[in-house]
Amino acid sequence: MAVITNAPRGTQDVLPAQSARWQYIENTLLRTAELFGFREIRTPVFEHTELFSRSVGDTTDVVQKEMYTFLDKGKRSVTLRPEGTAGVVRAVLQNGLLGGALPLRTCYVIPCFRYEKPQAGRLREFHQFGVEMFGPKSPAADAQVIALANEIFQTLGIEGLELHINSIGCPECRAKYQQALREYFTAHLGTLCETCQGRLEKNPMRILDCKSPECHAVVEGAPLVLDYICDDCREHFEGLKKRLDLLGISYSVDPKIVRGLDYYTRTVFEFVSQKIGAQGTVCGGGRYDGLVEELGGSATPALGFAMGLERLLLQMDACGCLFPEENTCDIYLAGMGEAGSLRAQQLCYELQQEGFYAECDCMERSVKAQMKYADKHGAKYAAVLGKSELQSGECTVKDMRGGKSVQVSLTDFAGQIYRLLLEGAYTEVIEAGEQLQKGQE
Ligand code: HAM
């Protein structure tokens, strides 16, 4: 029994009391991305396994250790997406979107799945907001994408994130670097974990982001990619730095960032927090100029980032960010007796159709219990509909926050409730202004 009443390890429910926070964040992300020209794309939760092994790379931790992969009933190997980029590139190619006007800018809010050891900020089902941009090779695009992430943090009131940037070069300069790494790690072969010993020949860069402690110490003294990049890659990197300076976005160059996914070329970056524990990377991204071609399209430069929404929330709480107040019931209509309860339901539906948040009883409670419920749920106004109200054609609408009660006719009920709510909101604004003024005096 315990199994079906416990969610799988590393997953989280978003309960009704928290969903307003999530909606606020998601809306802010999508709206801010729109200001930079990004439009939402939705791709399947699962894809053919090969898509991820080809793009993320079959020597990465993600592919080797963390994917939720299974055979479907048709015996095809499918995988719950561990990240968003691969699926977006696949969808863009399949739907011929690169034939339209470039750059193509897309964004997404998605659940992702990685079989990792759960801890604060690290889950097995987590959520990413990401953007992917196709077409531009100029560092202006790198700066635009980083500026969007930066603007998102500012809009949400997030402080204290440090931007780290690096360049990991292109396939040409990478070859020289890989050789230097091979030589370095061969000298420390005995100290590396078993997985990394296997990575040495095929992809020594992946040893740099291995999570096992024995590899960490060796990685400390490894050669740095920035010392090996070619003139073109260096010029690109300098171009990005110049633009970030121009936009007033502070950063530090961190030659140790290589990112854990194989598709990256040139620019890589991370926004890191010191406030949310060991899993401090809130956002990570970079260029992947070879991926479109790798997946069967014509060579097209591309870049993007993704941020983990759970980590974003941790950071927002750590910074004391404000969230909008939850919407509370505009009016509760209590029904007394059969006729009163029928009329309450009818009026309630009319109000809902007009766009009000209205509630009435469906628990067959007494009028007293209905009013208690209305109070507990923070209803702004409440009214009782019984025999006498139906006869007189009007009812008393009570201001539940202590204001005056008013008589309201049951004809054009919605219009009058609208006026009441407007007056109430107006009074609240005036009172808040007066409080503020008193505080300043
Ligand atoms: P990533 O660095 O693997 O990059 O993930 C991006 C973000 O997702 C991380 O910075 C973190 O906030 C969040 N994240 C990753 N794994 C977990 C986890 N197990 N639990 C909670 N949050 C997690 C990518 O996924 C790339 N696709 C980003 C990208 C887009 N690069 C270019 N375009």
Side-chain angles (χ1 to χ4, degrees):
M1 212 50 176
V3 171
I4 59 163
T5 49
N6 283 323
R9 207 162 113 76
T11 67
Q12 269 178 5
D13 299 310
V14 175
L15 301 176
Q18 300 142 359
S19 59
R21 288 158 60 99
W22 281 80
Q23 286 167 10
Y24 163 66
I25 291 181
E26 289 169 7
N27 290 340
T28 307
L29 293 168
L30 291 170
R31 221 184 37 237
T32 313
E34 195 179 38
L35 299 178
F36 285 66
F38 289 83
R39 287 178 60 198
E40 193 185 5
I41 182 164
R42 298 188 187 198
T43 64
V45 167
F46 63 91
E47 298 271 1
H48 296 299
T49 302
E50 200 192 340
L51 175 69
F52 300 114
S53 46
R54 284 272 290 279
S55 53
V56 173
D58 51 17
T59 51
T60 58
D61 268 5
V62 170
V63 170
Q64 284 188 320
K65 302 177 185 170
E66 297 168 2
M67 293 207 304
Y68 280 89
T69 296
F70 56 95
L71 290 181
D72 69 8
K73 290 200 192 303
K75 302 268 185 295
R76 282 170 294 258
S77 178
V78 291
T79 295
L80 302 184
R81 64 175 161 225
E83 58 101 56
T85 310
V88 171
V89 176
R90 197 262 318 132
V92 161
L93 287 177
Q94 186 174 345
N95 294 285
L97 301 190
L98 295 177
L102 294 180
L104 170 69
R105 294 186 179 94
T106 64
C107 63
Y108 49 86
V109 182
I110 53 168
C112 296
F113 306 85
R114 295 184 193 177
Y115 190 80
E116 293 195 81
K117 204 167 171 201
Q119 63 180 88
R122 194 204 270 161
L123 291 123
R124 290 182 176 168
E125 184 193 28
F126 60 98
H127 297 81
Q128 280 189 348
F129 165 76
V131 308
E132 312 296 349
M133 187 174 180
F134 298 87
K137 65 176 190 326
S138 146
D142 307 43
Q144 273 185 16
V145 160
I146 291 175
L148 167 57
N150 195 61
E151 180 55 22
I152 283 171
F153 298 133
Q154 292 200 353
T155 307
L156 290 172
I158 291 177
E159 287 167 357
L161 290 182
E162 291 160 15
L163 168 62
H164 298 209
I165 61 170
N166 192 19
S167 173
I168 58 167
C170 58
E172 285 79 60
C173 43
R174 189 89 55 80
K176 262 201 285 171
Y177 179 57
Q178 302 260 41
Q179 192 46 37
L181 281 181
R182 251 179 233 117
E183 282 162 23
Y184 172 80
F185 285 124
T186 305
H188 298 84
L189 194 60
T191 333
L192 297 178
C193 76
E194 214 174 295
T195 318
C196 285
Q197 294 190 4
R199 286 165 169 164
L200 183 65
E201 258 324 295
K202 218 171 154 199
N203 193 355
M205 256 176 99
R206 286 289 66 89
I207 303 175
L208 298 173
D209 49 67
C210 176
K211 292 182 187 107
S212 71
E214 59 262 51
C215 297
H216 257 246
V218 186
V219 164
E220 277 302 304
L224 298 172
V225 62
L226 213 45
D227 296 332
Y228 290 80
I229 63 173
C230 62
D231 289 348
D232 283 354
C233 289
R234 191 165 299 282
E235 196 184 317
H236 185 96
F237 194 48
E238 291 307 316
L240 167 62
K241 290 200 286 184
K242 189 167 135 194
R243 286 177 161 81
L244 290 178
D245 290 337
L246 183 77
L247 301 179
I249 298 173
S250 37
Y251 59 88
S252 58
V253 174
D254 181 350
K256 291 222 155 106
I257 300 183
V258 288
R259 312 267 309 127
L261 314 166
D262 269 356
Y263 46 64
Y264 289 111
T265 52
R266 293 195 162 173
T267 310
V268 286
F269 63 89
E270 291 181 348
F271 283 86
V272 184
S273 163
Q274 304 298 339
K275 295 184 177 174
I276 58 170
Q279 302 305 313
T281 309
V282 174
C283 171
R287 272 196 172 267
Y288 47 92
D289 290 343
L291 184 58
V292 172
E293 197 175 13
E294 171 68 31
L295 295 182
S298 51
T300 309
L303 67 162
F305 68 71
M307 47 181 81
L309 300 194
E310 288 79 4
R311 292 187 196 175
L312 202 65
L313 265 167
L314 287 177
Q315 179 69 9
M316 288 180 76
D317 284 337
C319 295
C321 292
L322 297 176
F323 290 87
E325 269 177 38
E326 222 171 291
N327 220 2
T328 53
C329 179
D330 290 326
I331 180 159
Y332 185 91
L333 296 176
M336 192 193 291
E338 165 87 4
S341 131
L342 285 173
R343 188 75 171 116
Q345 177 152 25
Q346 193 184 27
L347 282 176
C348 187
Y349 186 45
E350 271 176 37
L351 288 171
Q352 289 159 340
Q353 287 176 310
E354 292 296 327
F356 296 100
Y357 174 0
E359 282 196 53
C360 64
D361 180 57
C362 54
M363 297 289 291
E364 300 179 326
R365 290 190 171 117
S366 67
V367 169
K368 197 172 157 203
Q370 289 181 52
M371 292 303 277
K372 207 166 147 192
Y373 169 91
D375 191 35
K376 215 168 133 192
H377 279 75
K380 298 181 188 95
Y381 293 95
V384 178
L385 292 154
K387 238 189 209 158
S388 59
E389 284 78 13
L390 299 192
Q391 265 163 15
S392 67
E394 55 176 41
C395 67
T396 309
V397 174
K398 184 178 169 195
D399 183 334
M400 300 293 277
R401 295 154 302 177
K404 277 189 297 189
S405 292
V406 284
Q407 285 301 110
V408 170
S409 158
L410 297 185
T411 38
D412 186 30
F413 195 61
Q416 295 170 79
I417 297 303
Y418 179 64
R419 276 189 289 279
L420 261 185
L421 284 163
L422 266 187
E423 278 166 25
Y426 181 70
T427 314
E428 267 178 34
V429 171
I430 298 289
E431 282 171 3
E434 283 170 358
Q435 288 288 345
L436 200 70
Q437 205 168 4
K438 261 191 210 155
Q440 284 166 350
E441 278 165 11

